[in-house]
């Protein structure tokens, strides 16, 4: 039974993230979505909210997808889940640059982990959580990009609210 960890800020989870999870489920039995604290990106958004929205948005996958918060070093967290596989999504070459640097750093901490970089479908290649927050913040419609539960959350609370 092979498990892969999909770490990220998921601030909020989008259909681009879901696409990567669907693809990862073709390669692995189980995906653990590990929601990080992202303090440098959006300190105002609470982890518990992001976790809750991920759970709602991914409920359709049942037990094959688990959502958890984490604040350990990624390599330690992955080991604690008794696996050594990490998946990340790729949209553009600039994503690749960023991911490659992250992988290289993590390899210095634990050279035995393996990283799978999955290109997203073209449909989601220009989609980012920060753009979604920006559009939602200005009162725009984000329902094309996120699960209805996420869209409803932003309609109710505005971006960044718990
Ligand atoms: P981080 O802050 O760690 O980059 P994100 O939640 O922004 O966390 O992204 C988590 C992962 O999902 C990253 O590998 C990122 O490249 C990927 N990702 C983000 N948006 C998309 C998308 N639209 N399509 C595919 N992958 C995506």
């Amino acid at each position: 039974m092979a498990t892969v960890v999909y770490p990220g800020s998921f601030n909020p989870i989008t259909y681009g993230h879901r696409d990567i999870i669907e693809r990862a489920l073709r390669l692995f039995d189980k995906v653990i979505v590990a929601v990080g604290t992202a303090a440098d990106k959006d300190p105002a958004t609470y982890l518990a909210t992001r976790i809750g929205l991920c759970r709602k948005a991914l409920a359709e996958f049942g037990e094959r997808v688990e959502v958890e918060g984490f604040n350990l070093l990624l390599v330690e967290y992955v080991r604690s889940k008794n696996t050594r596989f990490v998946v990340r999504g790729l949209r553009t070459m600039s994503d690749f640059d960023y991911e490659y640097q992250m992988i290289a750093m993590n390899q210095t901490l634990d050279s035995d982990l393996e990283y799978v970089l999955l290109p997203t479908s073209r449909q989601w290649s220009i989609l980012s959580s920060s753009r979604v927050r920006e559009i939602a913040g200005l009162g725009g419609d984000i329902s094309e990009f996120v699960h209805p539960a996420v869209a409803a959350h932003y309609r109710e609370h505005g971006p960044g609210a718990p």
Side-chain angles (χ1 to χ4, degrees), residues 32-155:
I32 299 177
V33 176
V35 185
T37 48
D40 59 331
K41 282 199 173 177
D42 188 356
T45 304
Y46 294 155
L47 184 61
T49 304
R50 281 184 284 130
I51 292 173
L53 291 176
C54 282
R55 290 206 172 118
K56 284 184 190 163
L58 301 171
E60 67 186 281
F61 295 112
E63 287 180 359
R64 290 185 69 200
V65 174
E66 217 175 82
V67 180
E68 251 189 28
F70 85 109
N71 58 6
L72 303 174
L73 269 181
L74 178 65
V75 294
E76 283 172 13
Y77 177 77
V78 173
R79 287 295 189 186
S80 77
K81 295 285 136 190
N82 294 316
T83 184
R84 55 190 193 92
F85 302 117
V86 177
V87 69
R88 297 274 292 176
L90 284 182
R91 289 161 294 189
T92 57
M93 279 310 283
S94 60
D95 268 356
F96 180 78
D97 258 6
Y98 176 82
E99 297 299 336
Y100 190 76
Q101 285 178 34
M102 188 201 73
I103 291 168
M105 281 304 287
N106 281 325
Q107 277 174 342
T108 67
L109 300 172
D110 186 337
S111 60
D112 283 339
L113 298 193
E114 301 297 346
Y115 300 84
V116 180
L117 295 178
L118 294 178
T120 187
S121 36
R122 212 168 39 154
Q123 187 186 5
W124 308 123
S125 64
I126 52 151
L127 174 58
S128 69
S129 298
S130 53
R131 208 60 75 221
V132 163
R133 289 200 307 277
E134 211 171 282
I135 295 171
L138 295 168
D141 181 11
I142 55 170
S143 56
E144 198 183 319
F145 312 121
V146 297
H147 187 274
V150 178
H153 171 84
Y154 279 95
R155 265 197 309 277

